[in-house]
Amino acid sequence: MWQVDEARIEAIAIGAGILGTGGGGNPYYGKLQVRRLLRQGAQITVIALDALPDDAVVVSVGGMGAPTVSIERIPRGDEWLVALRALEAHTGKRATHLIPGEIGGANALRPMVVSALAGLPLVDGDGMGRAFPELQMESFAIAGIPATPAALADIYHNVVVFPWLRDAKTLERYARAVTVQMGGAAGYAFPMLSGAQTRATAIPHTLSFAAAIGEAVLDARRMHADPIAAVCETTGGHLLFRGKIIDVQRRLVAGFARGWVELEGLDEYRGTHLRIDFQNEYLIARRDQDVVAVVPDLVCIVDALTAEPVTTEVLRYGLRVAVLGIPAPRALRTPEALAVVGPQAFGYPDVVYQPLPGVYGAEHAERLR
């Protein structure tokens, strides 16, 4: 068990931004909100997955929508709590613990806001080990945990509850349509799991992992060392490219930020180009037409000097960046998971998933399973 403090929230925001692979929402607003709550005296307690009792009532909370909307329209800040209360009212059960649906981006921090506001402990784990754009891509859904009942809430506290839908993919379609009507961003609360279900399906220790990544980056900056090398050492990742952004195409389609970014190589990559497609998150990186990394492995863009994560909504011409590839968690490399989160699930029928070498988390790998 550990407490979130201001130093750790700074590190978690960096680590979650990198694990977000460009999506999950920009962590900056979430960091500011958590810091304000901590300064007002809020307590955020994080417990290990193994410490969950079987009969715990665990709810995943976070934000749904396009990252471009979440940074242009500042969240009210309690949408996620309103969604949680609506789910509790519908089911007649009170949540005892919270868990992030994804550790990437702002969705690592929004559960902390709810934890502070509701006084509920947070579980050290999540449902993705990164960020993905669609609900059926959570490890809970891949393992067959029902996605409903589920609740959404917007900045005006309008609430929509889904009592029952066939599966998470169906919920994704319905919830995405409602999110678009809510202005392109909404707070969510689902699924509701038992402690035993959470222990069996979540990817453990990912909050601690995000903090470790951020602390490695901050230490490297303080010591005038290479923060990008520090990220690779901590995550088990690889440097794929260094370059300058020369073009970005980005549009909002059906509630997603879709597009691509093109980079011109610098240093040892001079004379080559890299193109990355994204759907909220970075999906596939091609260097001069050759695929160098693809989902579910993590394709991450960071600032070339500071390793500050660069999310899809802040991509711009001229930015000097490094592109990293981090091996996916083992739970996402099974045939069952690849059917949901592999290249074909994102519309790349001819791309064969070639796993990046190494393991997710490097020296943290055993704890991350």
Side-chain angles (χ1 to χ4, degrees), residues 48-52 99 123-130 138-140 142-143 145 193 195-209 235 298 327-334 337 358-369:
L49 197 61
D50 292 344
L52 269 179
I99 189 169
V123 177
D124 190 357
D126 78 301
M128 293 183 179
R130 47 163 295 160
E138 289 185 349
S139 60
F140 316 127
I142 293 171
I145 302 294
L193 309 100
Q197 288 174 324
T198 308
R199 292 200 309 273
T201 59
I203 298 174
H205 300 297
T206 48
L207 271 174
S208 300
F209 183 43
T235 61
L298 288 70
R330 275 177 282 180
L332 300 182
R333 290 182 164 190
T334 66
V359 293
Y360 177 78
E363 72 266 28
H364 304 272
E366 284 307 309
R367 299 180 70 220
L368 294 161
R369 219 168 32 195

Side-chain angles (χ1 to χ4, degrees), residues 324-340:
L324 310 180
I326 300 173
R330 275 177 282 180
L332 300 182
R333 290 182 164 190
T334 66
E336 296 77 15
L338 287 174
V340 182

Side-chain angles (χ1 to χ4, degrees), residues 10-23 26-28 105 213-214 217 221 231 282 300-304 306-315 319 321-322 324:
E10 191 73 30
I12 290 173
I14 294 172
I18 292 171
L19 293 175
T21 71
N26 192 295
Y28 181 69
I213 297 170
V217 169
R221 291 177 188 170
V231 173
Y282 302 122
C300 311
I301 299 181
V302 298
D303 182 271
T306 66
E308 193 71 20
V310 178
T311 50
T312 55
E313 71 275 8
V314 298
L315 294 169
L319 197 63
V321 299
L324 310 180

